[in-house]
Amino acid sequence: MTKEFKVTPWDVEGKIDYRRLIKDFGISRLSDKTLGRIKKHTRELHPMLRRGIFFAHRDFDWLLDEYEKGNKFFLYTGRAPSGKIHLGHLVPWFFTKWLQEKFDVDLYFQFPDEEKFLFNQNSTFEKVQEYLEDNMLDVAALGFKPGKTHFIIDTKHADLMYPEAVKVAKKITFSMVKASFGLNESSNIGSIFYTSMQAVPAFLPSVMKKKKIPCLIPHGVDQDPHFRLTRDILPKLGHYKPASIQNSFMPPLKGVEGKTSSSDETSAIFLSDSPKEVERKIKKYAFSGGRDTIEEHRKLGGNPDVDVSFQLLKYLFEEDDKELAKIEKDYRSGKLLTGELKKITIEKINAFLKDHQAKRKKVDVKKFIY
Ligand code: TRP
């Protein structure tokens, strides 16, 4: 990994060079050929595929080969409760929801409620349990198919998880974990064991159904070190290697490098934010690619590539390519001002949050828990 940026499951820093990351991680760029194959089954491509937000994968072609032979896959993704859910978290989940609908498949959604407890020195188990309850409500409200979506909570489903996790753990040495995650002699032993828990949902359905079922993991690219290990080990236990598809990170509000962090209130918009808070945060904090004065902006134009309001539309809130292209063009030319762009983004976010917050009040999490 170069000095200028860092991508690990615990730390994302600096300006990420995704081309470099593809090489370093050994993942494959999503080719037009693979996208074409996906499109054959889904009719259209999700905006995050068209826009290169999901940009890389492992074994997606194998997954489609199996699917075309009638061997359906299941989806696996997850969330380690450590705080409230923010907009950046939605990127892989919106996409996962689309995959579930298009391929009509089961989704196993893991809530490793020990992960952040083990890795964050100042978190407590009780606090994490509160976030778990809160986070499950948000995920359930996103509209995954109730009968086909199964929440797996590590400590609550320990009877299912632990017997499989020890089989994985037996194949992992401390030096492998050190190399993959930068853990060391002073790391607590729970954190050293943890990756074996994150491996389990990739094959748990195969164990429960007593047949080999392909798995597809949509995830932020920072999680790849876990699944690289998982992929090495699963064949040794008689399971398929899981396929995966990786997204790039939505920038944090302030446009600083890295990824959105939930520990800093100025860094993110939370799903619980009120319309006023959203307006205030976008107006006050959202990094702008606009110019210092209106005159300059009209003359020289803005830069949507670094403009967080534009990126929010691109990643999540403007599905229409033509509309997005028009906003991009008008911003670049100086026709659209920063204040006007921010207004569009604020309205889109608030429309989404209004609907989401109403659904969250009504949703029944119990229906989703495995
Ligand atoms: N480690 C992830 C986090 O920090 C949670 C997670 C568990 C996950 N299983 C996953 C993420 C599978 C993506 C895919 O939030």
Side-chain angles (χ1 to χ4, degrees):
M1 202 124 313
T2 53
K3 279 188 232 79
E4 312 91 67
F5 71 94
K6 184 174 173 193
V7 178
T8 74
W10 340 111
D11 237 337
V12 178
E13 282 168 22
K15 182 163 168 38
I16 301 161
D17 175 348
Y18 285 103
R19 234 189 297 165
R20 180 67 200 274
L21 200 62
I22 285 178
K23 275 225 318 261
D24 289 352
F25 278 12
I27 49 188
S28 310
R29 177 170 290 285
L30 267 173
S31 68
D32 289 341
K33 186 159 162 272
T34 305
L35 291 173
R37 286 190 72 187
I38 298 174
K39 198 171 170 184
K40 263 199 358 228
H41 296 285
T42 61
R43 289 160 166 273
E44 51 171 354
L45 287 177
H46 190 275
M48 291 182 199
L49 289 173
R50 300 197 301 260
R51 296 171 191 174
I53 292 169
F54 272 84
F55 67 100
H57 72 102
R58 291 182 187 272
D59 277 345
F60 210 102
D61 287 289
W62 165 79
L63 188 87
L64 290 171
D65 291 343
E66 290 300 311
Y67 185 79
E68 286 164 10
K69 285 188 254 170
N71 193 11
K72 253 195 184 187
F73 59 91
F74 68 90
L75 292 159
Y76 160 38
T77 195
R79 153 78 181 161
S82 57
K84 293 192 289 183
I85 303 295
H86 61 63
L87 296 181
H89 293 128
L90 299 177
V91 174
W93 303 345
F94 277 9
F95 182 64
T96 299
K97 184 181 155 188
W98 178 81
L99 286 172
Q100 182 180 46
E101 276 160 16
K102 293 292 172 182
F103 289 95
D104 188 30
V105 289
D106 275 350
L107 163 64
Y108 289 80
F109 200 113
Q110 181 180 34
F111 290 90
D113 56 334
E114 80 282 46
E115 179 180 357
K116 295 299 154 79
F117 167 67
L118 291 168
F119 283 91
N120 300 348
Q121 264 338 307
N122 40 20
S123 99
T124 65
F125 194 74
E126 290 66 35
K127 194 72 201 156
V128 168
Q129 294 305 308
E130 282 172 31
Y131 284 128
L132 167 68
E133 297 301 324
D134 167 87
N135 292 182
M136 285 195 300
L137 279 171
D138 277 323
V139 174
L142 291 177
F144 295 109
K145 292 187 174 182
K148 290 197 165 217
T149 303
H150 317 284
F151 290 180
I152 303 278
I153 303 153
D154 286 8
T155 67
K156 294 202 175 44
H157 294 106
D159 54 343
L160 289 173
M161 295 290 293
Y162 193 62
E164 302 310 321
V166 293
K167 294 175 198 167
V168 177
K170 196 173 178 179
K171 304 277 183 211
I172 305 178
T173 64
F174 185 27
S175 62
M176 286 158 79
V177 171
K178 277 199 230 175
S180 301
F181 304 108
L183 297 178
N184 58 50
E185 306 289 327
S186 46
S187 304
N188 71 64
I189 61 175
S191 65
I192 298 164
F193 180 78
Y194 172 71
T195 194
S196 35
M197 292 296 282
Q198 190 158 324
V200 172
F203 65 96
L204 189 62
S206 300
V207 172
M208 294 188 302
K209 304 218 161 98
K210 297 195 171 62
K211 62 169 193 215
K212 284 170 92 166
I213 314 171
C215 169
L216 171 64
I217 314 174
H219 65 85
V221 68
D222 59 327
Q223 298 295 312
D224 184 69
H226 283 295
F227 300 124
R228 217 179 301 154
L229 260 184
T230 303
R231 284 168 51 85
D232 283 346
I233 287 158
L234 265 47
K236 298 181 187 162
L237 299 176
H239 302 295
Y240 287 138
K241 287 183 182 197
S244 60
I245 184 162
Q246 286 93 13
N247 68 273
S248 63
F249 301 111
M250 198 173 73
L253 259 194
K254 288 191 287 190
V256 285
E257 293 149 348
K259 70 167 185 178
T260 312
S261 146
S262 19
S263 41
D264 174 6
E265 88 99 33
T266 66
S267 132
I269 291 173
F270 297 99
L271 298 198
S272 55
D273 281 352
S274 69
K276 278 247 153 343
E277 277 168 310
V278 170
E279 187 179 350
R280 184 180 68 88
K281 285 184 181 176
I282 293 285
K283 283 188 176 162
K284 187 161 172 198
Y285 301 120
F287 185 81
S288 158
R291 302 283 172 173
D292 291 341
T293 65
I294 293 186
E295 293 70 47
E296 247 185 275
H297 189 92
R298 292 280 188 225
K299 199 160 82 197
L300 302 167
N303 180 3
D305 305 333
V306 298
D307 191 288
V308 170
S309 307
F310 179 78
Q311 295 301 317
L312 277 160
L313 296 177
K314 177 175 166 183
Y315 270 76
L316 291 167
F317 296 111
E318 183 48 79
E319 291 197 2
D320 184 334
D321 286 350
K322 282 208 189 97
E323 195 51 42
L324 190 76
K326 184 176 178 331
I327 293 171
E328 180 168 5
K329 183 166 151 272
D330 289 351
Y331 199 56
R332 248 187 241 289
S333 76
K335 188 173 161 203
L336 188 70
L337 299 173
T338 296
E340 294 166 336
L341 172 60
K342 287 195 170 187
K343 187 159 171 278
I344 298 173
T345 304
I346 291 166
E347 277 168 13
K348 291 264 182 188
I349 295 173
N350 279 338
F352 165 75
L353 289 184
K354 185 170 177 222
D355 179 55
H356 176 76
Q357 290 165 6
K359 285 182 177 148
R360 189 186 135 112
K361 282 204 189 108
K362 279 185 273 172
V363 79
D364 182 5
V365 167
K366 284 198 294 302
K367 280 198 194 136
F368 292 87
I369 297 177
Y370 185 80

